[in-house]
Amino acid sequence: MTVEATTAEDRLAHVTAKMTAAAKDAARDPAEVTLIAVSKTHNAATIEPVLATGQRHFGENRIQEAQGKWPALKAAWPDVTLHLIGSLQTNKTADAVALFDVIHTVDRPKLAQRLAAEMAKAGRTLPCFVQVNTGKEPQKGGVLPEDTAALVAACRDQHGLDIAGLTCIPPVEDEPAPHFAFLAKLAADVAVPGLSMGMSGDFETAIRLGATHVRVGTAIFGPRNT
Ligand SMILES: *Cc1c(COP(=O)(O)O)cnc(C)c1O
């Protein structure tokens, strides 16, 4: 008999249980892995019951969409941490710094410079992840693997950014595990602690390979609204 989880709260509990099991399998402390519930395309009424369970980390990929729903949700749940997981245009950095708490998509020097300037202006320090294009896909954001060390160094030394880790989104047609293993090796090489990797279909694999942040949308909220 299969038991279908029917609400986002049920599915969240299911995901959390799988995360705990994957961490234990890998002899890791489950508390080392942060679940980011990716709420893009879902409205406040869908997100609120998940907040009510105690889930506090959420991810959005579009600034404008996040601006429409998160100021009110953050006012009601002030301890929420909002993660920007989508590509960031340089002219949107002020908006991003005002609303988000963690940026996962730093991928070029100009963006690092603008983020640092806006953080100084706003008096906020946001942890940042450098996104790496591990599949070298032309249409995808992220710095190339071979340019990652230089970008991390520039972020830290020239711009004073707090680089919390690396992010990757493997090509959809690839086996994700080699990309996760590669990102983990790269993070060790450039001495950054965090690994933002793993989505609905592969978060357990990512945890086994060292993920500190998994970004899970569909497995919690169900199919996205288009
Ligand atoms: C949408 C999105 C996710 C979540 O994807 P699911 O497959 O629905 O879990 C994770 N990371 C990024 C960068 C995304 O844009």
Side-chain angles (χ1 to χ4, degrees):
M1 191 180 90
T2 53
V3 180
E4 291 284 337
T6 51
T7 66
E9 306 90 279
D10 290 343
R11 289 187 293 254
L12 174 74
H14 200 63
V15 166
T16 305
K18 284 175 146 179
M19 287 176 61
T20 301
K24 287 187 173 158
D25 271 358
R28 299 185 60 202
D29 179 355
E32 286 173 12
V33 190
T34 298
L35 171 61
I36 301 171
V38 177
S39 49
K40 65 191 190 200
T41 80
H42 297 289
N43 61 22
T46 307
I47 300 168
E48 275 165 347
V50 174
L51 278 158
T53 69
Q55 173 66 28
R56 286 296 177 269
H57 290 264
F58 288 84
E60 291 281 345
N61 69 334
R62 291 211 170 91
I63 308 264
Q64 208 180 348
E65 183 192 338
Q67 283 173 328
K69 57 192 175 186
W70 279 101
L73 290 170
K74 279 187 137 193
W77 282 276
D79 57 342
V80 157
T81 299
L82 194 59
H83 298 254
L84 179 65
I85 61 169
S87 59
L88 178 54
Q89 291 173 276
T90 316
N91 64 354
K92 294 281 171 57
T93 47
D95 291 339
V97 167
L99 180 61
F100 286 87
D101 304 295
V102 184
I103 310 286
H104 287 248
T105 50
V106 178
D107 63 359
R108 54 200 193 275
K110 177 84 186 158
L111 178 59
Q113 183 218 316
R114 288 293 292 270
L115 278 168
E118 294 301 342
M119 286 183 207
K121 227 189 271 177
R124 302 192 74 209
T125 306
L126 278 60
C128 294
F129 287 70
V130 166
Q131 185 183 344
V132 184
N133 190 349
T134 58
K136 300 192 173 190
E137 294 171 283
Q139 82 285 6
K140 202 173 261 180
V143 64
L144 291 173
E146 57 269 32
D147 298 333
T148 302
L151 180 58
V152 168
C155 286
R156 284 173 165 163
D157 305 340
Q158 289 174 38
H159 306 302
L161 290 180
D162 169 14
I163 299 300
L166 303 181
T167 302
C168 77
I169 309 167
V172 280
E173 68 277 11
D174 279 13
E175 194 66 54
H179 291 270
F180 297 155
F182 179 81
L183 196 73
K185 165 85 169 62
L186 194 53
D189 288 348
V190 299
V192 296
L195 287 168
S196 169
M197 58 190 199
M199 314 190 351
S200 289
D202 52 26
F203 64 88
E204 292 160 285
T205 303
I207 289 169
R208 289 193 194 96
L209 291 166
T212 60
H213 294 70
V214 294
R215 310 176 309 263
V216 179
T218 313
I220 296 170
F221 292 103
R224 277 185 276 280
N225 302 310
T226 47

